[in-house]
Amino acid sequence: MGKDSTKKSERDIIEYISNLLALQADRDLIKGIGDDCAVFRKDNKSCILVTTDTLVAGVHFDLAWHPPLLLGRKTAAVNLSDIAAMGGKPRYAFLNLAFPGSAPAWLDDFLAGFYEMLQEYDTHLVGGDTVKSPNDLSMSVTLIGEAAEDEICYRSGAEIGDFVFVSGFLGDAAAGLSLCQSGLSAGSSTPWQQLVKAHLDPLPQVKLGRMLADSRLVHAMIDISDGLATDLAHICTQSRTGAEIFKEALPVSETLRAAAEKLKSPIFDWVLKGGEDYKLLFTVSPDHEKDLQRRVAKQSGMEIYPIGRIIEGRGVHLCSRERRQNISYQGYDHFIG
Ligand code: ADP
Ligand code: MG
């Protein structure tokens, strides 16, 4: 990769590492790099899922507006969401903390929030690491979960003709971040609470993920952490398919429309490219589209939204009455913005 490394995208760097360090096949390793979790065989029916995610001050959060309790919850939630994306059940967590100076004042609240979120999903903190860092504050979590081998939903299972579904409003978290950055988030009476909460305190859809896996009707699944345009592109690349998304079908909240007006922001940048919604994005055979919608509504009261189709070819295309454009990988990338 040499001198060019700063110009590479996050995806290029991961691919480079994966190619350089690819291991020999391992009897118990079912999925290594390339999905929301690595998957290992536990016994002849069940698998262990492992995921890890890092939050860095100034990149993923800002303590100027992020209450430590909610930051603790979010640190757990973003990892729980990767277990949800495979249809798994979270079990054990490791927490790694790096901060400058001695234990920060907000640590107790952070830990209370972290513990609260783990408890909601019956997950135990079983280890971690605590180190001093010269400048940057960061927290990293490794989460271990489990799932029945024949229920796990990979990014690679999409089939031509599948419907693409999303499990809730898109863009709220990105708008919430913009509102925080613009100083418009303060106070519980602001009209933007739903958006600000989506950024500060996202909820991982673990129960829905389990329900979808248990239905065995889902072909491919991912959680939306980098924006629809990028996360659907991951499904397409791994499944060797393309996808078409219908602009008018995208679930957008009224509050988001109002915020776009207020901030004079292009709403579809938030909806398609804004990350951190932590909704589930999944594909289902057209024979089971209605059946799955009914099942989810009956079992959870939640609505899931069909937003497009899996097609032959490559790339994610956004279709409206006026035009069709390739939006593959236009979501958040750490290295190219
Ligand atoms: P997610 O957004 O679901 O957390 P990522 O985009 O962070 O997933 O990662 C995609 C895949 O690349 C995962 O399998 C992850 O484990 C792997 N990965 C990311 N960074 C590295 C790295 N530095 N070394 C090895 N694997 C990595
Ligand atoms: Mg993920």
Side-chain angles (χ1 to χ4, degrees), residues 10 14 17 32-36 53 82 155 223 225-226:
E10 183 182 338
I14 295 174
I17 295 173
I33 294 173
D35 217 303
D36 293 288
D53 256 309
D82 277 324
R155 294 177 180 180
D223 66 323
S225 57
D226 295 330

Side-chain angles (χ1 to χ4, degrees), residues 71-257:
L71 182 59
R73 286 175 57 87
K74 183 168 178 174
T75 302
V78 302
N79 283 275
L80 289 162
S81 180
D82 277 324
I83 301 277
M86 310 293 289
K89 178 175 164 28
R91 297 292 308 277
Y92 304 107
F94 290 79
L95 171 64
N96 304 322
L97 297 172
F99 40 73
S102 55
W106 47 264
L107 188 62
D108 282 354
D109 283 348
F110 172 87
L111 292 174
F114 184 74
Y115 188 64
E116 183 181 273
M117 181 60 79
L118 287 189
Q119 272 200 317
E120 279 177 31
Y121 297 95
D122 271 339
T123 303
H124 305 279
L125 178 65
V126 295
D129 200 13
T130 307
V131 297
K132 181 168 176 167
S133 155
N135 301 307
D136 297 329
L137 162 66
S138 70
M139 32 281 239
S140 157
V141 171
T142 299
L143 208 64
I144 298 173
E146 65 185 354
E149 184 170 355
D150 58 357
E151 287 184 6
I152 297 173
C153 303
Y154 295 93
R155 294 177 180 180
S156 55
E159 293 176 19
I160 311 292
D162 279 1
F163 274 80
V164 178
F165 275 89
V166 71
S167 63
F169 292 137
L170 297 174
D172 281 10
L177 172 61
S178 291
L179 289 160
C180 289
Q181 287 167 334
S182 320
L184 292 169
S185 61
S188 54
S189 59
T190 71
W192 318 117
Q193 280 313 299
Q194 167 195 328
L195 309 179
V196 173
K197 183 179 183 306
H199 167 61
L200 297 178
D201 188 21
L203 296 179
Q205 296 191 311
V206 175
K207 287 181 185 116
L208 179 65
R210 284 286 316 115
M211 198 185 300
L212 294 171
D214 183 56
S215 77
R216 294 166 199 255
L217 298 177
V218 168
H219 288 162
M221 184 149 69
I222 190 170
D223 66 323
I224 301 189
S225 57
D226 295 330
L228 177 67
T230 288
D231 290 317
L232 185 53
H234 284 313
I235 287 188
C236 288
T237 301
Q238 295 278 328
S239 304
R240 300 173 186 280
T241 63
E244 268 180 353
I245 293 303
F246 308 117
K247 202 170 180 183
E248 284 76 20
L250 294 169
V252 174
S253 67
E254 282 310 316
T255 319
L256 190 76
R257 288 186 205 282

